[in-house]
Amino acid sequence: MGKVGFGLAVSCAAATCAIAAILVGKRVRSRRKWRRVVGVLRDLEEACETSVGRLRQVVDAMAVEMHAGLASEGGSKLKMLLTFVDKLPNGSERGKYYALDLGGTNFRVLQIQLGGKTSSILSCDVERQPIPQDLMTSTSEDLFDFIASSLKQFVEREAQNSEFSPVKRRELGFTFSFPVKQTSVSSGILIKWTKRFSVKDMVGKDVSECLQHAMTRNGLDMRVAVLVNDTVGTLALGHYNDPDTVAAVIIGTGTNACYLERTDAIIKCQGLLTTSGGMVVNMEWGNFWSSHLPRTSYDIDLDGDSPNPNDQGFEKMISGMYLGDIVRRVILRMSQESDIFGPVSSRLSMPFILSTPSMADMHADESPELMEVARILKEDLQIPDVPLKVRKLVVKVCDVVTRRAARLAAAGIVGILKKIGRDGSGGVASGRSRGSDGKMRRTVVAMDGSLYTRYTMFKEYLHEALCEILGEEVAQYVILKVTEDGSGIGAALLAASHSSHSSSSSSSSSSSSSSVVDSQRLP
Ligand code: BGC
């Protein structure tokens, strides 16, 4: 080989080595980046850990806070609000009643025709309408005028299609799904807004009065017979369908629970006399807090950026309003740690840009190439061309966040069961889990909210955790029953059982509603 040939060979070898070194360097760097991203996932998994031991601590904390909230006003972050609902519909109600359901992005108006014991609900017409975004943060007058005029149009349409004109004043169950300090079964003062609402001049005002005034302004003659939380409506429908129902839980945009309590356990209202001896309590569990809750840096940031920091802590870990945003925050952290998502997309920094339904769709994607994940990353977050292994990582993030939420919700439910002695603690024979005949009692919890009813993985994780905490033997007597549209239908049923037309409108024992203290029913 001549000098030239040798030189050429040396240069070629050097070039090959350089290329190889670049490639190796690239691979090492990309491995390092991948490890950093996987590290973010590992840290998230660790921080979201919900072992059965930890869940039991949450159960205990929930039961303790329930006691504290019932003992004194402001005694706990759990408000444990009185509802003045001391009797629940039982199927004997008759007549035509209306409901107005306000609490999420849509509001609903409905009318039901009740036929009494044998025929129950004869018909139910429902109309859904989105609430214009600007009204959620406008004035109470604007919001309620809009609602009252929609209600009026609904009533007029329905009157045109009906052969009979009403002889009695129309009665309405008003479902208002925010924390309200009730002053009676049909009136109450808004404590604060949650979810996306923030109509400042409403806080501290009587909610029914605002609606009643708006109805008068709009020329609609209707009486608010009951003002209820959506959980209370759900409990009413649940109990109407199955008298073993003792509690109701909503897991949708927001989350909350209510249950039947003995009045003697509501210490903060000593002397509160209901002839039935029981009352439905609206827990407002979205505001529950305990140091046992597995909190991550993402939760802390989300809370800090929210319009209500240090509020609704449980809700911010569980409900549909927030889960998508927790996932977005994790993906943002990952994309800042490395370029596996390409250059950091500006959309990724926008709060609430990833909705929980989109997150649920990514989680549920079973296609081999995870095409739905790719589509949502591209369309919602403007992150195109993400490799399959990164898409898998995103699904894992959705799974960790959803699993934690569902398991915490399960712990909340068992907390209620523990408070009312239906968790079988100390063995299935103990507590109030058994009836007077010695047999295990069925304990039914009415469930609603899109996270529970439409997000299969969420529901499965919740049930799994419920069994883990209670044990198989007790868990078989705890039935979670989907009670869709309970918030509206239940409010109309309660309007019927509290109607001024019905002989049962006083709180004395009546035939057209079942007293919540019925020894078989009370917890
Ligand atoms: C509200 C509750 C409501 C729940 C479910 C929460 O944000 O505070 O009153 O029951 O959402 O709609």
Side-chain angles (χ1 to χ4, degrees):
M1 188 190 293
K3 263 187 182 172
V4 177
F6 182 72
L8 212 63
V10 170
S11 322
C12 274
T16 313
C17 284
I19 291 169
I22 290 170
L23 288 178
V24 169
K26 247 188 167 175
R27 198 166 299 155
V28 168
R29 272 196 302 281
S30 110
R31 280 224 187 100
R32 216 176 282 147
K33 281 184 210 159
W34 181 248
R35 268 206 301 273
R36 276 207 298 272
V37 172
V38 171
V40 173
L41 176 64
R42 293 280 164 271
D43 291 347
L44 175 75
E45 283 178 319
E46 219 168 275
C48 287
E49 186 267 337
T50 48
S51 65
V52 70
R54 187 191 275 257
L55 291 180
R56 291 212 173 101
Q57 290 174 317
V58 175
V59 168
D60 291 346
M62 180 65 82
V64 166
E65 291 301 314
M66 288 172 78
H67 277 284
L70 291 173
S72 65
E73 209 63 74
S76 162
K77 288 206 94 171
L78 278 185
K79 292 215 158 43
M80 305 301 283
L81 300 167
L82 304 190
T83 62
F84 295 90
V85 172
D86 62 349
K87 55 188 176 181
L88 290 169
N90 64 3
S92 62
E93 298 76 12
R94 290 177 170 277
K96 194 189 265 189
Y97 293 90
Y98 295 82
L100 177 66
D101 185 356
L102 174 68
T105 36
N106 292 308
F107 82 96
R108 281 177 303 179
V109 285
L110 62 93
Q111 185 247 85
I112 59 172
Q113 180 82 47
L114 301 169
K117 199 99 206 151
T118 45
S119 29
S120 321
I121 300 176
L122 297 175
S123 68
C124 179
D125 298 328
V126 190
E127 206 172 86
R128 242 170 265 261
Q129 225 176 299
I131 302 181
Q133 194 80 33
D134 56 318
L135 287 185
M136 294 185 191
T137 50
S138 149
T139 64
S140 57
E141 217 173 277
D142 286 349
L143 177 65
F144 278 90
D145 272 339
F146 173 74
I147 291 167
S149 83
S150 307
L151 178 61
K152 187 180 177 200
Q153 285 165 23
F154 175 82
V155 170
E156 283 172 352
R157 263 196 306 278
E158 167 264 324
Q160 273 168 11
N161 300 333
S162 151
E163 293 162 28
F164 308 102
S165 57
V167 279
K168 295 175 192 157
R169 192 174 183 203
R170 293 184 175 91
E171 295 200 288
L172 175 81
F174 181 20
T175 310
F176 186 74
S177 311
F178 302 95
V180 166
K181 186 169 171 50
Q182 304 253 170
T183 41
S184 75
V185 75
S186 60
S187 60
I189 285 155
L190 174 63
I191 300 172
K192 63 177 185 186
W193 288 107
T194 56
K195 297 173 274 193
R196 264 179 245 284
F197 283 75
S198 175
V199 178
K200 293 274 176 333
D201 70 325
M202 268 293 293
V203 176
K205 278 193 186 161
D206 188 310
V207 181
S208 294
E209 226 168 68
C210 289
L211 176 62
Q212 202 76 63
H213 288 324
M215 290 197 292
T216 310
R217 279 196 301 274
N218 284 270
L220 179 62
D221 184 27
M222 210 180 236
R223 182 183 91 96
V224 178
V226 290
L227 170 68
V228 293
N229 186 260
D230 50 355
T231 53
V232 180
T234 304
L235 177 59
L237 180 61
H239 189 271
Y240 184 82
N241 292 332
D242 184 337
D244 286 333
T245 310
V246 295
V249 172
I250 305 258
I251 314 170
T253 309
T255 184
N256 190 14
C258 75
Y259 72 108
L260 300 177
E261 183 57 279
R262 295 166 182 270
T263 36
D264 59 10
I266 311 177
I267 316 274
K268 64 183 173 185
C269 288
Q270 278 289 336
L272 171 81
L273 283 178
T274 68
T275 41
S276 70
M279 187 179 282
V280 176
V281 172
N282 168 15
M283 293 173 60
E284 284 297 332
W285 88 359
N287 204 35
F288 167 68
W289 190 252
S290 155
S291 57
H292 297 301
L293 290 172
R295 200 179 199 205
T296 67
S297 59
Y298 307 103
D299 300 305
I300 295 170
D301 292 348
L302 182 147
D303 184 51
D305 294 347
S306 74
N308 54 349
N310 294 322
D311 243 5
Q312 300 296 102
F314 200 46
E315 179 161 277
K316 284 173 183 161
M317 287 185 166
I318 289 183
S319 82
M321 169 127 183
Y322 303 100
L323 295 193
D325 204 53
I326 300 176
V327 169
R328 175 193 69 83
R329 284 168 189 271
V330 181
I331 299 177
L332 176 62
R333 172 86 52 91
M334 288 176 161
S335 81
Q336 286 163 341
E337 286 287 327
S338 91
D339 58 4
I340 58 163
F341 290 96
V344 180
S345 141
S346 59
R347 296 267 291 185
L348 206 43
S349 304
M350 290 164 74
F352 299 108
I353 199 72
L354 182 65
S355 69
T356 300
S358 289
M359 187 269 262
D361 288 346
M362 293 201 285
H363 194 191
D365 188 356
E366 284 180 343
S367 64
E369 294 297 308
L370 297 178
M371 292 318 287
E372 188 61 6
V373 178
R375 184 189 68 75
I376 291 168
L377 288 176
K378 185 167 172 218
E379 288 176 11
D380 292 18
L381 300 176
Q382 281 171 0
I383 307 178
D385 309 323
V386 176
L388 182 58
K389 74 171 183 179
V390 179
R391 281 178 244 161
K392 285 186 179 160
L393 199 74
V394 169
V395 174
K396 186 69 194 152
V397 174
C398 299
D399 186 67
V400 174
V401 172
T402 300
R403 185 166 181 271
R404 177 186 69 160
R407 289 173 70 81
L408 291 179
I413 294 172
V414 182
I416 301 175
L417 301 183
K418 186 176 179 107
K419 167 71 184 71
I420 61 178
R422 295 289 191 96
D423 65 330
S425 52
V428 282
S430 75
R432 283 171 237 145
S433 298
R434 282 184 190 270
S436 49
D437 55 0
K439 284 195 186 141
M440 275 299 282
R441 295 161 85 179
R442 286 171 81 240
T443 298
V444 181
V445 180
M447 303 287 300
D448 200 6
S450 50
L451 240 67
Y452 185 80
T453 59
R454 297 201 207 130
Y455 192 172
T456 316
M457 289 301 285
F458 185 95
K459 191 174 179 172
E460 282 175 5
Y461 279 142
L462 192 154
H463 286 200
E464 187 180 76
L466 201 79
C467 283
E468 276 177 42
I469 308 170
L470 288 171
E472 296 279 339
E473 202 180 349
V474 176
Q476 59 180 311
Y477 293 97
V478 175
I479 298 129
L480 304 190
K481 252 195 189 174
V482 171
T483 311
E484 269 184 294
D485 288 335
S487 53
I489 300 173
L493 290 171
L494 283 165
S497 58
H498 291 79
S499 159
S500 57
H501 309 322
S502 98
S503 54
S504 62
S505 59
S506 80
S507 59
S508 59
S509 63
S510 76
S511 59
S512 75
S513 60
S514 74
S515 136
V516 296
V517 73
D518 175 344
S519 58
Q520 273 309 300
R521 310 290 166 235
L522 241 200

